[in-house]
Amino acid sequence: MARIQVKHSVNPSTPLIGAEVECCLYCKGKDIIRAGHRHNKRTTVQLWWCHDCARVFSPHPAKGKVWPLSIILEAVRLYYLGYTRAQVAERVKEKTGLILPERTLSWWLAELRELTTYTYFRQELLSEFQPKRAVRTQRLHHKQTYYYATHYAKLWALLHEERNGAFFALRDFLAEMNRSCPHGLFQGEHRASQDRASYDLTGTEIRASHNLACRIAGLVLQSVTDRRRRHDTLQRFMLATDSVTVAVEVPIFLLPEDISALRTRHGSGIPLSTDDPLTGHVDFLQIRNGKIYILDYKPNAEKERPIAQLMTYALALSSRTGLDLFSFVCAWFDEEHYFEFYPRQVIRNAVMMSST
């Protein structure tokens, strides 16, 4: 191992990148220790040493850059919300005291063009949706704080594509949750994320891939030093910059009578209790490929199987919007893996198995 010069003093006015990490970026090993700092013009980066693969690594992905990644991503996010380059530079200056040349922002936008697909909508929607109208955010106090947000500009554009014409009921549901979410239901004990309903997955295809959501997560989450902020940071960036995420932290609920109605409609393939309401919040709601995608970010996604949780989300959205389960796709992902399945297939196969 090359000798590292350890500098113990850090300028308190300089952002410290990567003060806390969970594993080695190369081998994912957990046996890591701090190994000094690397200083540049605007940042101080924490270096780490991995005992498993004997490599020094830094969680800062923007090699050779002098701007903290968090500032880069926030500037790009503001631009895609509809602010001009000059307005973005002014906001960065107000927040950090740093002067951001507009040309530098243009470089960042060009570098991230493949990940920020909202670029194809931005100019078209700017005349109709100014930044403060494009996205509506509401703070929900549902035992803990959730920031429910809907991108109405993107939703308007996607719903006017012919293949998505049947999904206006989704827009109406999202608006209804903004106006009159039944907050009292969310103080109960029965959470969709804790539901242990057992679905028969015989014949259900769970497809694995590495897609744009993984790539965005792989970039954005390297700017997060507090793991409690992972969901929020990723949600804010994807909602503003991709071309398919229309809402985040969407509140959903299933009442006992809803579950009874779903059983009447779909038969015995729904193993949910009808005793109490079920509630939850969908991490990401997307419209793409003529389907509504229900996404959940799960660290270590390869080891997770949140089928029951995602099925409850799909059943609740189907119940609240009147859309058939065929309209929905469920998925979970992290920086490396993405898995998806069709909830209608889960129900259909369960019914077929129970009738044989």
Side-chain angles (χ1 to χ4, degrees), residues 11-53:
N11 185 343
S13 65
T14 304
L16 176 59
I17 306 298
E20 298 296 334
V21 297
E22 297 179 358
C23 64
C24 174
L25 295 186
Y26 294 105
C27 72
K28 306 303 180 184
K30 302 288 186 179
D31 191 5
I32 57 177
I33 59 172
R34 286 177 170 81
H37 302 115
R38 182 178 71 243
H39 299 268
N40 59 34
K41 185 176 180 181
R42 294 185 178 88
T43 63
T44 296
V45 181
Q46 179 69 60
L47 300 177
W48 295 81
W49 161 256
C50 176
H51 284 279
D52 294 330
C53 67

Coordinates of all heavy atoms in Angstrom, one line a residue, residues 11-53:
N11 N -10.6 22.3 7.3 CA -11.2 23.6 7.3 C -12.7 23.5 7.5 O -13.4 22.9 6.7 CB -10.9 24.3 6.0 CG -11.4 25.8 6.0 OD1 -12.2 26.1 6.8 ND2 -10.9 26.6 5.0
P12 N -13.3 24.0 8.6 CA -14.7 23.8 8.9 C -15.6 24.5 7.8 O -16.8 24.1 7.7 CB -14.9 24.5 10.2 CG -13.7 25.5 10.3 CD -12.6 24.8 9.6
S13 N -15.1 25.4 7.0 CA -15.9 26.0 6.0 C -15.9 25.3 4.7 O -16.6 25.6 3.8 CB -15.4 27.5 5.7 OG -14.1 27.4 5.2
T14 N -15.1 24.2 4.6 CA -15.0 23.4 3.4 C -15.8 22.1 3.6 O -15.7 21.4 4.6 CB -13.5 23.0 3.1 OG1 -12.8 24.2 3.1 CG2 -13.4 22.2 1.8
P15 N -16.7 21.8 2.6 CA -17.5 20.6 2.7 C -16.7 19.4 2.8 O -15.7 19.2 2.1 CB -18.3 20.6 1.4 CG -18.3 22.0 0.9 CD -17.0 22.6 1.4
L16 N -17.0 18.5 3.8 CA -16.3 17.2 3.9 C -17.1 16.1 3.2 O -18.2 15.8 3.6 CB -16.1 16.8 5.4 CG -15.4 15.5 5.6 CD1 -14.0 15.4 5.0 CD2 -15.3 15.2 7.1
I17 N -16.6 15.6 2.1 CA -17.3 14.6 1.3 C -16.9 13.2 1.8 O -15.8 12.9 2.0 CB -16.9 14.7 -0.2 CG1 -17.1 16.1 -0.7 CG2 -17.7 13.7 -1.0 CD1 -18.6 16.6 -0.6
G18 N -18.0 12.4 2.0 CA -17.7 11.0 2.4 C -17.3 10.7 3.8 O -16.5 9.8 4.1
A19 N -17.8 11.6 4.7 CA -17.4 11.4 6.1 C -17.9 10.1 6.7 O -17.3 9.5 7.6 CB -18.0 12.5 7.0
E20 N -19.0 9.6 6.1 CA -19.5 8.3 6.6 C -19.8 7.4 5.4 O -20.5 7.8 4.4 CB -20.8 8.4 7.4 CG -20.7 9.2 8.7 CD -19.7 8.6 9.7 OE1 -19.6 7.3 9.6 OE2 -19.1 9.3 10.5
V21 N -19.3 6.2 5.3 CA -19.6 5.2 4.3 C -19.8 3.9 4.9 O -19.4 3.6 6.1 CB -18.5 5.1 3.2 CG1 -18.3 6.4 2.5 CG2 -17.2 4.7 3.8
E22 N -20.5 3.0 4.3 CA -20.9 1.7 4.8 C -20.0 0.6 4.4 O -19.9 -0.4 5.1 CB -22.3 1.4 4.5 CG -23.3 2.4 5.1 CD -24.7 2.1 4.7 OE1 -25.0 1.1 4.0 OE2 -25.6 2.8 5.2
C23 N -19.4 0.7 3.2 CA -18.6 -0.4 2.7 C -17.7 0.1 1.6 O -17.7 1.2 1.1 CB -19.5 -1.5 2.1 SG -20.5 -1.0 0.6
C24 N -16.7 -0.8 1.2 CA -15.8 -0.5 0.2 C -16.5 -0.3 -1.2 O -17.3 -1.1 -1.5 CB -14.7 -1.6 0.1 SG -13.5 -1.4 -1.3
L25 N -16.1 0.7 -1.9 CA -16.7 0.9 -3.2 C -16.3 -0.1 -4.3 O -16.9 -0.3 -5.3 CB -16.4 2.3 -3.8 CG -17.0 3.5 -3.0 CD1 -16.8 4.8 -3.7 CD2 -18.5 3.3 -2.7
Y26 N -15.1 -0.8 -4.0 CA -14.6 -1.8 -4.9 C -15.1 -3.2 -4.7 O -15.7 -3.8 -5.6 CB -13.1 -1.8 -4.9 CG -12.4 -0.5 -5.4 CD1 -11.9 0.4 -4.5 CD2 -12.4 -0.2 -6.8 CE1 -11.3 1.6 -4.9 CE2 -11.8 1.0 -7.2 CZ -11.3 1.9 -6.3 OH -10.7 3.1 -6.7
C27 N -15.0 -3.7 -3.5 CA -15.3 -5.1 -3.2 C -16.5 -5.2 -2.2 O -16.9 -6.3 -1.9 CB -14.1 -5.8 -2.5 SG -13.8 -5.3 -0.8
K28 N -17.1 -4.1 -1.8 CA -18.3 -4.0 -0.9 C -17.9 -4.6 0.5 O -18.8 -4.9 1.3 CB -19.5 -4.8 -1.5 CG -19.9 -4.4 -2.9 CD -20.2 -2.9 -2.9 CE -20.6 -2.5 -4.3 NZ -20.9 -1.0 -4.4
G29 N -16.7 -4.7 0.8 CA -16.3 -5.2 2.1 C -16.6 -4.2 3.2 O -16.6 -3.0 3.0
K30 N -16.8 -4.7 4.4 CA -17.2 -3.9 5.5 C -16.1 -3.5 6.4 O -16.2 -2.6 7.3 CB -18.3 -4.6 6.4 CG -19.5 -5.0 5.7 CD -20.4 -3.8 5.3 CE -21.7 -4.2 4.7 NZ -22.6 -3.1 4.4
D31 N -14.9 -4.1 6.3 CA -13.8 -3.9 7.1 C -13.0 -2.7 6.6 O -11.9 -2.9 5.9 CB -12.9 -5.2 7.2 CG -11.8 -5.0 8.3 OD1 -11.9 -4.0 9.1 OD2 -11.0 -6.0 8.4
I32 N -13.4 -1.5 6.9 CA -12.8 -0.3 6.3 C -12.4 0.7 7.5 O -13.1 0.7 8.5 CB -13.7 0.4 5.3 CG1 -15.1 0.8 6.0 CG2 -14.0 -0.5 4.1 CD1 -16.0 1.5 5.1
I33 N -11.4 1.5 7.2 CA -11.0 2.5 8.2 C -10.7 3.8 7.5 O -10.4 3.8 6.3 CB -9.7 2.0 9.0 CG1 -8.5 1.8 8.0 CG2 -10.0 0.8 9.8 CD1 -7.2 1.5 8.8
R34 N -10.7 4.9 8.2 CA -10.3 6.2 7.6 C -8.9 6.2 7.3 O -8.0 5.7 8.1 CB -10.7 7.3 8.6 CG -12.2 7.6 8.7 CD -12.5 8.7 9.7 NE -13.9 9.1 9.6 CZ -14.9 8.5 10.1 NH1 -14.7 7.4 10.8 NH2 -16.1 9.0 10.0
A35 N -8.5 6.9 6.2 CA -7.1 6.9 5.8 C -6.7 8.3 5.4 O -6.0 8.5 4.4 CB -6.9 5.9 4.6
G36 N -7.1 9.3 6.1 CA -6.7 10.7 5.8 C -7.7 11.4 4.9 O -8.8 11.0 4.6
H37 N -7.3 12.6 4.4 CA -8.1 13.4 3.6 C -7.4 13.8 2.3 O -6.2 13.9 2.2 CB -8.5 14.7 4.3 CG -9.2 14.5 5.6 ND1 -8.7 14.8 6.8 CD2 -10.4 13.9 5.9 CE1 -9.5 14.5 7.8 NE2 -10.6 13.9 7.2
R38 N -8.2 14.1 1.3 CA -7.6 14.8 0.1 C -8.3 16.1 -0.1 O -9.5 16.2 0.0 CB -8.0 13.9 -1.2 CG -7.4 14.5 -2.5 CD -7.6 13.7 -3.7 NE -9.0 13.7 -4.1 CZ -9.8 12.7 -4.1 NH1 -9.4 11.5 -3.7 NH2 -11.1 12.8 -4.5
H39 N -7.5 17.2 -0.2 CA -8.0 18.5 -0.3 C -7.9 19.0 -1.7 O -7.0 18.8 -2.4 CB -7.2 19.4 0.6 CG -7.2 19.0 2.0 ND1 -8.1 19.5 2.9 CD2 -6.4 18.2 2.8 CE1 -7.9 19.0 4.1 NE2 -6.9 18.2 4.0
N40 N -9.0 19.8 -2.1 CA -8.9 20.5 -3.4 C -9.5 21.9 -3.1 O -9.8 22.3 -2.0 CB -9.5 19.8 -4.6 CG -11.0 19.5 -4.4 OD1 -11.7 20.2 -3.7 ND2 -11.4 18.4 -4.9
K41 N -9.8 22.6 -4.2 CA -10.1 24.0 -4.0 C -11.4 24.3 -3.2 O -11.4 25.2 -2.3 CB -10.3 24.7 -5.4 CG -10.5 26.2 -5.4 CD -10.6 26.7 -6.8 CE -10.8 28.2 -6.8 NZ -10.9 28.8 -8.2
R42 N -12.4 23.5 -3.4 CA -13.7 23.7 -2.7 C -14.2 22.6 -1.9 O -15.2 22.6 -1.3 CB -14.8 24.0 -3.8 CG -14.6 25.3 -4.6 CD -15.7 25.6 -5.5 NE -15.5 26.8 -6.2 CZ -14.9 27.0 -7.3 NH1 -14.4 25.9 -7.9 NH2 -14.8 28.1 -7.9
T43 N -13.4 21.5 -1.8 CA -13.9 20.3 -1.1 C -12.8 19.7 -0.3 O -11.6 19.8 -0.6 CB -14.5 19.2 -2.0 OG1 -13.5 18.7 -2.9 CG2 -15.7 19.8 -2.8
T44 N -13.1 18.9 0.8 CA -12.2 18.0 1.4 C -12.8 16.7 1.4 O -14.0 16.5 1.8 CB -12.0 18.5 2.9 OG1 -11.3 19.7 2.9 CG2 -11.1 17.5 3.6
V45 N -12.1 15.7 0.9 CA -12.7 14.3 0.7 C -12.1 13.4 1.7 O -10.8 13.3 1.8 CB -12.4 13.9 -0.8 CG1 -13.0 12.5 -1.0 CG2 -13.0 14.9 -1.8
Q46 N -12.9 12.7 2.4 CA -12.4 11.6 3.3 C -11.9 10.4 2.5 O -12.7 9.9 1.6 CB -13.6 11.2 4.2 CG -13.2 10.1 5.2 CD -12.2 10.6 6.3 OE1 -12.5 11.5 7.0 NE2 -11.0 10.0 6.3
L47 N -10.7 9.9 2.8 CA -10.2 8.7 2.1 C -10.4 7.5 3.1 O -10.4 7.7 4.3 CB -8.7 8.9 1.8 CG -8.4 10.0 0.8 CD1 -6.9 10.1 0.7 CD2 -9.0 9.8 -0.5
W48 N -10.6 6.4 2.5 CA -10.8 5.1 3.3 C -9.9 4.0 2.8 O -9.5 4.0 1.6 CB -12.3 4.7 3.1 CG -13.3 5.7 3.7 CD1 -13.7 6.8 3.2 CD2 -13.8 5.6 5.0 NE1 -14.6 7.4 4.0 CE2 -14.7 6.7 5.2 CE3 -13.8 4.7 6.1 CZ2 -15.4 6.9 6.3 CZ3 -14.5 4.9 7.2 CH2 -15.3 6.0 7.3
W49 N -9.5 3.1 3.7 CA -8.7 2.0 3.4 C -9.5 0.7 3.7 O -10.1 0.5 4.8 CB -7.4 2.0 4.2 CG -6.7 0.7 4.4 CD1 -6.7 -0.1 5.5 CD2 -5.9 0.1 3.4 NE1 -5.9 -1.2 5.2 CE2 -5.4 -1.2 3.9 CE3 -5.5 0.4 2.1 CZ2 -4.6 -2.0 3.2 CZ3 -4.7 -0.5 1.4 CH2 -4.2 -1.7 2.0
C50 N -9.5 -0.2 2.7 CA -10.2 -1.5 2.8 C -9.3 -2.6 3.2 O -8.3 -2.9 2.4 CB -11.0 -1.8 1.6 SG -11.9 -3.4 1.6
H51 N -9.5 -3.3 4.3 CA -8.7 -4.4 4.7 C -8.9 -5.6 3.8 O -8.0 -6.5 3.6 CB -8.9 -4.8 6.1 CG -8.3 -3.9 7.1 ND1 -6.9 -3.9 7.4 CD2 -8.8 -2.8 7.8 CE1 -6.7 -3.0 8.3 NE2 -7.8 -2.3 8.5
D52 N -10.1 -5.7 3.2 CA -10.4 -6.9 2.4 C -9.7 -6.9 1.0 O -9.2 -8.0 0.6 CB -11.9 -7.0 2.2 CG -12.7 -7.3 3.5 OD1 -12.1 -7.9 4.3 OD2 -13.8 -6.8 3.6
C53 N -9.7 -5.8 0.3 CA -9.1 -5.7 -1.0 C -7.8 -4.9 -1.0 O -7.2 -4.7 -2.1 CB -10.1 -5.3 -2.1 SG -10.6 -3.5 -1.9

